[in-house]
Amino acid sequence: MDTRPDLVALDLLVRVAAGGSVGAAARELDMTQPHASRLLSRLERQLGLQLLQRSPAGSRVTAEGEVVVSWARQALESVDRVVTGARSLAAERAARLRVVASLTIAEQLAPAWIARFRREQPGHQVRLEVANSEQVLERVLSGEVPLGFVESPSVPQEVSVAAVGLDRLVVVVAPEHPWARRTSPLTPTELAAAELVLREEGSGTRRTLARALARADAPLGEGHLELASTAAVRAAALQGDLPAVLSELGVADQLAAGALVEVPVDGLDLSRTLRAVWLPSRRPTGDAARLLRIARAAAGA
């Protein structure tokens, strides 16, 4: 026989001790008196103690029963703390959405989405994590996050997608770079052969460039300076030594101010669609669906 006391029986014993009546305690727990009596008798057998002295006038807790009642109160309070804490964690989890976005989206678009989300859902939090597009897809496919945002030109068939924006890659140089004074556009072959400062392998920007050059029959060469963030690539381009290929969204301010100059490229399609991705089996619901709706609305989708 299981010798661990039943929590309902312990609760019943505590109530009998407080009120002096098995019947009253049974009513408080919405059970019949015979059932309550059976639970208490079973508890006594499990513990090997007489906990109650029963009489026509009611039930009185024995001396040993008083000690057990004290321990029972502590046990029930501990259980209440577990339940309360677990519910608090569940509520916190329900109010905190975790998503991951590739760098351009995280820097240029997601802040406005999240600001609107928080206005619409006060008290709900969005935890935005940043990774390159390849890493975003890995974390969505593994089920680690319910929603991701990528800028890569293609995504696996295993994910569902929705467009959340359009972007274009641009070749930029500092004003003193020789390309800034060109009177004719670059050819894809010239761009592919040049030493460039680029995002790392796995980034959506790098994949978009490599794919566009391959389609133009001008595969991207090697020996480029690779940096892991848009800000780092932009800073390197501002130094004037190397051309960079970056999201137009990420260099709009520098182009407007004349700190960087866009160099046109003939015959190269560097446009791209920015997309939300999720597993079909985890279609966005709740806060994830709300954030996706906001992102799509901002893009006019």
Side-chain angles (χ1 to χ4, degrees), residues 44-56:
E44 289 178 318
R45 290 194 302 274
Q46 286 176 318
L47 299 179
L49 297 170
Q50 182 180 355
L51 303 175
L52 299 173
Q53 286 184 344
R54 299 163 177 84
S55 71

Side-chain angles (χ1 to χ4, degrees), residues 189-272:
T189 300
E190 286 177 303
L191 179 62
E195 184 181 1
L196 305 169
V197 55
L198 299 172
R199 287 286 307 282
E200 78 286 2
E201 291 279 358
S203 72
T205 297
R206 179 69 168 265
R207 286 183 169 184
T208 299
L209 174 63
R211 182 175 182 175
L213 286 171
R215 287 180 169 177
D217 200 23
L220 183 63
E222 299 180 353
H224 305 291
L225 173 61
E226 295 184 3
L227 299 172
S229 74
T230 300
V233 175
R234 185 171 56 229
L238 287 166
Q239 295 303 310
D241 296 331
L242 295 176
V245 181
L246 283 167
S247 160
E248 186 176 29
L249 292 171
V251 292
D253 291 344
Q254 289 72 27
L255 290 173
L260 289 173
V261 177
E262 179 181 351
V263 183
V265 185
D266 253 352
L268 199 63
D269 181 11
L270 292 175
S271 61
R272 60 182 179 175

Side-chain angles (χ1 to χ4, degrees), residues 68-126:
V68 175
V69 166
S70 175
W71 292 336
R73 287 196 183 99
Q74 295 174 31
L76 292 169
E77 288 170 1
S78 295
V79 171
D80 286 342
R81 285 195 295 271
V82 170
V83 173
T84 300
R87 287 175 178 168
S88 176
L89 286 175
E92 181 181 349
R93 181 178 181 182
R96 181 186 297 161
L97 170 65
R98 182 180 173 211
V99 298
V100 60
S102 55
L103 199 58
T104 297
I105 296 173
E107 290 181 345
Q108 305 300 324
L109 300 176
W113 301 343
I114 294 172
R116 179 174 172 184
F117 173 89
R118 294 188 66 176
R119 288 195 299 272
E120 293 184 5
Q121 300 293 322
H124 289 224
Q125 301 295 319
V126 176

